[in-house]
Amino acid sequence: MGCAVVGGGPAGMMLGLLLARAGVQVAVLEKHGDFLRDFRGDTVHASTIRLIDELGLGAGFRDLPQSRLNNVAVPVPGAGLVTLAAFDSLKPPYNYVAMMPQWDFLDFLASAAAAEPTFTLLMESEATGLEFDGGRVTGVRYRATGNGAADAEQVLHADVVVAADGRHSVLRQAAGIRAREYPVPFDAWWFKLPRRASEKGEVAGVVPSLGDRDALIALNRTDYYQMGYLAPKGSDARIRENGVEQFRRRVAALRPDLADRVDSIHTLADLHWLDVRLNRLPRWYIDGFLCIGDAAHAMSPAGGVGINLAIQDAVAAAERLAPDLRQGHVRTTTLAAIQRRRRMPTVVVQTVQRIMHRVVFVPLFAGTLSGKTLTGAAAGNGLSIQRILFFFLRHNPVVKRVLPRVVAIGPRPEHAPGFARPLTLRPPTKLGAMTSPTDTAVDTAAARARLLELIKELAVVRGKVILSSGAEADYYIDLRRITLHHEASKLVGQVMLALADDAGIDFECAGGLTMGADPVGTAVMHAAVDAGRTVDAFVVRKAQKSYGMGRQVEGPAVEGRKVLVLEDTSTTGGSALTAVEGVRKAGGNVVAVAVIVDRDTGAKEKIEAETGVPYLFAFGKDELGLD
Ligand SMILES: O=P(O)(O)OC[C@H]1O[C@H](OP(=O)(O)OP(=O)(O)O)[C@H](O)[C@@H]1O
Ligand SMILES: O=C(O)c1cc(=O)[nH]c(=O)[nH]1
């Protein structure tokens, strides 16, 4: 076996799927017989949705029953419902958090992985320990608990064992790795309250209400409210001693609007206690063994970002493990590289959570924080750190932009490794283009999102610069760094092809003025061929060649054929116009001009007026943050 993953949660299943797509033998061991468990994190964050699109699974994912969380709001006395994180301010389509039962999400990942021949899912297989050879882990010991075979311990040998078995990881203990604990002031108790049909249309959101020494959050789900009661650590025994009636009264006091249904909490056995922990391992690995997700760093539920972080760990791990696993030996330096990659986002998120604990939860449980404190409505309430923070959360434009991003996307989001992405886009048919974008659109959305990120990261250069036209500008987009880039080139082809298809442009040749347009033309040609179409590329020289064939337009003849003129970017539109003129002289029928980035400097108007064909662009300067 290449890789044995222990724990069929979001991180374990994602890692299994990605490694299987790399063609590596991988087994995921899950101790339960199904994924059905209440009150696991039921969020799928924006960066995970983007990842799913990149894996070509977006259409199936969107078919799953789910609701969208568009914001996080707090009701504050005197200020109404205050939105703290408006996800819908993020760029679509990744501008929400999907809420769905985690078992649906895990079933979905499991069925995608089952399509890969190198993937095995071992349900009812409980890991009990590690197998060592010298100091190196060489496998995992486990017990199959199904079919009454509970006591037969077996060994699964693997090049690497990955523990994705959560906060109480059995395997990390077996590896002798100990976590560093940070104090957490509270625990959480999850339960459900019914949601009436008449309430279905209400804002989907997370609605917290603060008490004097406790708090209640409500997650609006399709036909119920998922309630989280928060109280000081160590309160579980007291809550249970006080009995169900007192607990119902407390819930009713915190959410009077839900008081009419607290009877649905039949007994305190309906409360699911979460012993909240915040910790992380100083070292996530030993030879042959790696921890990811909560096994490497238990997260507080504050912000609800633990699942996303765990999935991102899985992606980073898959990307780095796959090459080693293909060679049959996982180097310890590779495991160290995975920890290096994921440590920063972990530390950032945990630090934010620890600040939230200190600033919100400690005073809350000391009885010095309530909704009134935040707005200053409480008598004798001066400027407090909470009021200042609350003011910033509501009014500071940078905080208002950054907060939804931190929650929905997270620091250092990961992208699907090339080996896990679908090989080609589906060939669009004329009928398909007219009816629904289905799979093609979903894949294109992922390609477009990734390309945009690469352009921002690699091509945008700020500072004074002289342009081709002689004009001076404050920024330059060096798209050659994109069109000649190992990952971006392919995306350029896919995105530009989809751009023309979406505009209903039918073409047989693609190219433009050398040299910016050259790699764009070949990328489009390859994307078209991948999609089962025949498109040739061409190059328009800046001047006609004075010897040889004496041509200005090089490549298979464009004469009598439908031509898409391409550019990487345009400012005055002069280069694209030269290309159109060259193609027309060579007898080509120009059907459109398309550029990757438009600088919004009048090129569109000029080109459309002078050539009479549409001018398309994949990205505007506003999308690059250059507005
Ligand atoms: O719309 P325009 O004002 O024509 O400006 C845009 C052109 O400028 C750049 O090329 P450049 O002229 O620098 O030449 P190169 O492709 O040979 O590098 C770019 O690749 C476009 O072709
Ligand atoms: O106008 C240009 O010369 C120009 C602008 C730009 O952003 N990028 C580029 O390659 N050329």
Side-chain angles (χ1 to χ4, degrees):
M1 180 59 59
C3 179
V5 182
V6 174
M13 292 306 296
M14 182 58 78
L15 179 61
L17 167 63
L18 296 181
L19 287 179
R21 286 217 174 161
V24 165
Q25 291 290 341
V26 54
V28 177
L29 284 75
E30 164 58 44
K31 70 175 168 189
H32 296 101
D34 54 42
F35 296 121
L36 289 170
R37 238 106 40 234
D38 266 337
F39 307 125
R40 287 184 165 202
D42 286 349
T43 49
V44 182
H45 290 243
S47 39
T48 300
I49 299 171
R50 182 174 62 192
L51 175 70
I52 289 165
D53 277 343
E54 290 168 351
L55 296 174
L57 301 171
F61 174 78
R62 286 178 181 79
D63 278 349
L64 297 176
Q66 57 192 279
S67 48
R68 286 180 176 218
L69 189 60
N70 294 317
N71 61 64
V72 177
V74 214
V76 175
L81 199 62
V82 174
T83 299
L84 293 186
F87 302 134
D88 43 14
S89 67
L90 299 171
K91 247 203 181 350
Y94 307 114
N95 58 347
Y96 67 97
V97 170
M99 305 276 316
M100 67 171 68
Q102 195 179 97
W103 59 79
D104 280 350
F105 182 56
L106 294 175
D107 276 337
F108 171 75
L109 291 180
S111 63
E116 306 298 329
T118 55
F119 178 82
T120 310
L121 178 58
L122 299 170
M123 299 300 281
E124 300 184 309
S125 299
E126 184 173 5
T128 50
L130 292 168
E131 190 73 1
F132 287 88
D133 182 1
R136 187 178 174 92
V137 172
T138 55
V140 55
R141 280 189 271 123
Y142 72 101
R143 252 189 210 120
T145 55
N147 303 325
D151 49 10
E153 201 175 62
Q154 306 178 49
V155 176
L156 180 66
H157 286 285
D159 296 328
V160 67
V161 175
V162 179
D165 53 346
R167 302 171 322 137
H168 304 293
S169 173
V170 170
L171 290 193
R172 103 181 161 198
Q173 242 174 334
I177 313 179
R178 289 186 56 144
R180 169 162 186 200
E181 297 284 341
Y182 296 93
V184 177
F186 69 99
D187 279 344
W189 289 261
W190 292 112
F191 59 101
K192 290 182 183 180
L193 288 180
R195 192 166 182 216
R196 308 255 153 84
S198 57
E199 294 163 340
K200 294 265 159 68
E202 285 180 4
V203 184
V206 180
V207 182
S209 28
L210 306 182
D212 273 348
R213 283 162 204 275
D214 54 6
L216 194 61
I217 56 169
L219 308 180
N220 300 355
R221 308 300 297 268
T222 320
D223 47 14
Y224 65 94
Y225 295 100
Q226 181 177 333
M227 309 297 296
Y229 177 70
L230 310 178
K233 218 175 218 331
S235 304
D236 190 63
R238 181 183 49 78
I239 291 172
R240 294 189 195 270
E241 213 173 276
N242 290 345
V244 69
E245 192 41 48
Q246 187 150 337
F247 186 74
R248 287 183 193 140
R249 274 204 299 273
R250 193 66 207 124
V251 172
L254 283 165
R255 282 294 299 265
D257 56 321
L258 300 178
D260 59 357
R261 61 202 81 178
V262 293
D263 285 351
S264 66
I265 311 167
H266 298 295
T267 76
L268 286 177
D270 292 345
L271 289 193
H272 180 91
W273 173 40
L274 175 71
D275 171 20
V276 179
R277 295 282 180 88
L278 199 151
N279 65 34
R280 65 177 174 261
L281 305 183
R283 203 174 132 145
W284 298 16
Y285 59 91
I286 58 173
D287 288 356
F289 175 78
L290 172 73
C291 294
I292 61 169
D294 271 14
H297 45 74
M299 309 300 291
S300 152
V305 292
I307 299 182
N308 198 38
L309 213 64
I311 291 175
Q312 308 294 320
D313 283 0
V315 180
E319 185 158 19
R320 286 159 185 78
L321 286 175
D324 278 19
L325 284 164
R326 285 188 183 127
Q327 305 281 327
H329 179 71
V330 173
R331 294 163 300 167
T332 307
T333 49
T334 302
L335 304 179
I338 296 167
Q339 173 174 350
R340 264 201 312 278
R341 171 81 192 170
R342 297 304 305 162
R343 190 172 177 278
M344 181 282 279
T346 305
V347 171
V348 167
V349 173
Q350 289 190 326
T351 304
V352 173
Q353 292 188 324
R354 288 169 63 200
I355 293 172
M356 279 173 74
H357 289 176
R358 194 163 305 169
V359 174
V360 180
F361 293 104
V362 172
L364 175 69
F365 299 130
T368 56
L369 178 72
S370 69
K372 287 179 190 152
T373 335
L374 298 178
T375 51
N381 197 245
L383 260 194
S384 64
I385 175 88
Q386 290 81 18
R387 271 189 72 193
I388 296 169
L389 202 76
F390 192 63
F391 180 85
F392 263 88
L393 287 176
R394 291 177 66 192
H395 302 295
N396 184 292
V398 178
V399 176
K400 279 171 77 174
R401 266 224 323 266
V402 168
L403 198 66
R405 218 191 125 75
V406 169
V407 178
I409 312 265
R412 192 175 274 168
E414 305 287 347
H415 286 277
F419 59 70
R421 295 174 186 236
L423 281 181
T424 56
L425 297 174
R426 292 257 182 94
T429 60
K430 289 224 160 80
L431 195 62
M434 280 188 298
T435 51
S436 100
T438 58
D439 290 1
T440 310
V442 169
D443 289 342
T444 305
R448 196 180 180 285
R450 176 64 179 146
L451 181 58
L452 178 60
E453 248 176 22
L454 287 168
I455 293 173
K456 283 192 198 162
E457 196 180 314
L458 304 175
V460 176
V461 183
R462 290 168 205 267
K464 292 273 178 245
V465 64
I466 302 295
L467 301 178
S468 174
S469 55
E472 193 185 82
D474 293 334
Y475 65 89
Y476 194 73
I477 307 158
D478 187 359
L479 284 157
R480 293 150 199 85
R481 299 183 195 177
I482 290 295
T483 55
L484 299 168
H485 182 265
H486 65 275
E487 182 188 355
S489 158
K490 186 170 183 168
L491 302 173
V492 166
Q494 294 172 341
V495 168
M496 298 305 283
L497 184 64
L499 179 70
D501 285 346
D502 288 350
I505 303 293
D506 187 23
F507 63 99
E508 300 160 270
C509 310
L513 189 68
T514 194
M515 68 85 23
D518 299 350
V520 188
T522 46
V524 169
M525 172 176 69
H526 288 302
V529 170
D530 283 348
R533 295 152 64 173
T534 45
V535 166
D536 289 322
F538 66 87
V539 172
V540 180
R541 291 183 179 278
K542 288 190 174 158
Q544 185 169 354
K545 196 161 159 161
S546 61
Y547 55 94
M549 300 289 111
R551 292 167 63 175
Q552 189 190 2
V553 181
E554 300 285 4
V558 295
E559 193 179 350
R561 300 172 76 192
K562 286 177 267 187
V563 175
L564 176 64
V565 167
L566 296 166
E567 252 308 347
D568 52 2
T569 184
S570 55
T571 306
T572 63
S575 305
L577 285 172
T578 306
V580 171
E581 198 186 333
V583 169
R584 284 183 171 162
K585 260 202 230 154
N589 169 20
V590 178
V591 288
V593 173
V595 307
I596 305 173
V597 175
D598 177 57
R599 293 177 53 108
D600 194 16
T601 42
K604 178 175 171 66
E605 294 72 17
K606 185 169 175 190
I607 289 172
E608 291 189 341
E610 291 192 19
T611 64
V613 297
Y615 170 97
L616 317 171
F617 57 93
F619 304 101
K621 72 181 238 211
D622 52 331
E623 281 180 278
L624 302 186
L626 292 166
D627 241 354

